[in-house]
Amino acid sequence: MTSQQGITGGTYVVQVVQTLWENLPQLLWAALLFNLACLPAAFLFTTGLFIPSLIAAALTIGPAWAALLAFDMRLMQGIVPRQYTIFNDFRRVWPRSALLSLLTAFPLLALMTTLPSLETEPVAPIVWIGLGADLLGCAVMATLSLYAFPNLFQQSQIGVRAHIRDALILASRNPANSLGILAIGILFAFSVVYISLGLLLLLPAVYSLFIAANYQLVMQKETQA
């Protein structure tokens, strides 16, 4: 693959599609490993153990997601990593990515504990306020995760608090990018729900490629500012 010399808003989609096409076997392998990491949390979720499923997701899916993003960022830079590197990245980023995942899941956990209160009549105003705060927290953490998780790979010498701080700065400086990536994620989610669950085998890897490319784009803007 030809090395990526830079990425711009005009070439963003083209480079993502080109990277996907030229490295499809490697991405399928990475997608398979990511889906295997999702199995424990998925099993707990289907059995109704929602809180344990969130904890399992933080300990397995979060680090696997960070390793997948690290894999994608190498591809976007024109580097074809060896297949076993995703295992090395998983082990290397596990402590920070697991902690970051727990912080990201906290608003979702709060939302899950608030939802049963909606079944009571009448619903107290404080419940609606709490529900709104939970939804806002989920949206904020989802946006920050677009930058914090890829930053785990790029800035391995800093702590989780610094990753969140940097993600907040990048998200606030690039709101259009953030909304665009979130919109792609929502589109992919609707595709899984209304077209086929089988898309889960590939779409996470494709979505992570968009996130990796966006991170590279905004970081390039930061260096040129």
Side-chain angles (χ1 to χ4, degrees):
M1 176 180 172
T2 304
S3 176
Q4 306 284 4
Q5 298 300 323
I7 184 169
T8 66
T11 64
Y12 173 82
V13 175
V14 173
Q15 290 187 233
V16 169
V17 173
Q18 179 184 355
T19 303
L20 174 63
W21 177 255
E22 295 182 353
N23 300 277
L24 187 57
Q26 290 85 354
L27 281 170
L28 289 175
W29 163 254
L32 173 62
L33 296 178
F34 175 76
N35 280 279
L36 289 176
C38 294
L39 290 179
F43 173 77
L44 292 172
F45 183 81
T46 55
T47 56
L49 301 173
F50 301 123
I51 293 178
S53 70
L54 280 179
I55 298 174
L59 299 179
T60 57
I61 298 178
W65 182 247
L68 180 60
L69 287 169
F71 191 86
D72 290 339
M73 281 190 287
R74 291 190 180 95
L75 292 179
M76 289 302 302
Q77 295 166 2
I79 303 170
V80 180
R82 297 182 182 273
Q83 293 179 339
Y84 63 80
T85 57
I86 197 167
F87 296 103
N88 295 335
D89 290 332
F90 181 93
R91 184 178 66 253
R92 184 161 62 91
V93 302
W94 188 89
R96 290 175 296 134
S97 58
L99 178 56
L100 179 59
S101 299
L102 288 171
L103 294 174
T104 303
F106 182 77
L108 184 57
L109 177 61
L111 176 63
M112 293 172 64
T113 57
T114 303
L115 287 177
S117 301
L118 297 178
E119 299 176 358
T120 60
E121 294 291 344
V123 179
I126 190 64
V127 174
W128 291 112
I129 295 174
L131 182 64
D134 295 338
L135 291 173
L136 178 61
C138 289
V140 170
M141 293 309 298
T143 304
L144 294 182
S145 68
L146 299 176
Y147 303 97
F149 276 96
N151 201 40
L152 291 172
F153 171 71
Q154 293 293 99
Q155 304 290 336
S156 59
Q157 72 281 5
I158 63 178
V160 172
R161 182 182 299 179
H163 287 301
I164 295 176
R165 178 203 62 205
D166 292 347
L168 182 61
I169 293 172
L170 292 174
S172 62
R173 290 181 179 176
N174 302 275
N177 296 62
S178 304
L179 290 175
I181 298 298
L182 288 175
I184 293 174
I186 294 172
L187 176 62
F188 283 177
F190 275 110
S191 299
V192 170
V193 172
Y194 292 105
I195 298 178
S196 173
L197 289 175
L199 292 173
L200 284 173
L201 299 175
L202 180 61
L203 285 186
V206 177
Y207 187 48
S208 67
L209 196 60
F210 276 99
I211 295 176
N214 176 69
Y215 180 81
Q216 181 178 331
L217 175 62
V218 298
M219 291 302 295
Q220 186 172 291
K221 290 179 180 179
E222 290 294 316
T223 58
Q224 295 174 352

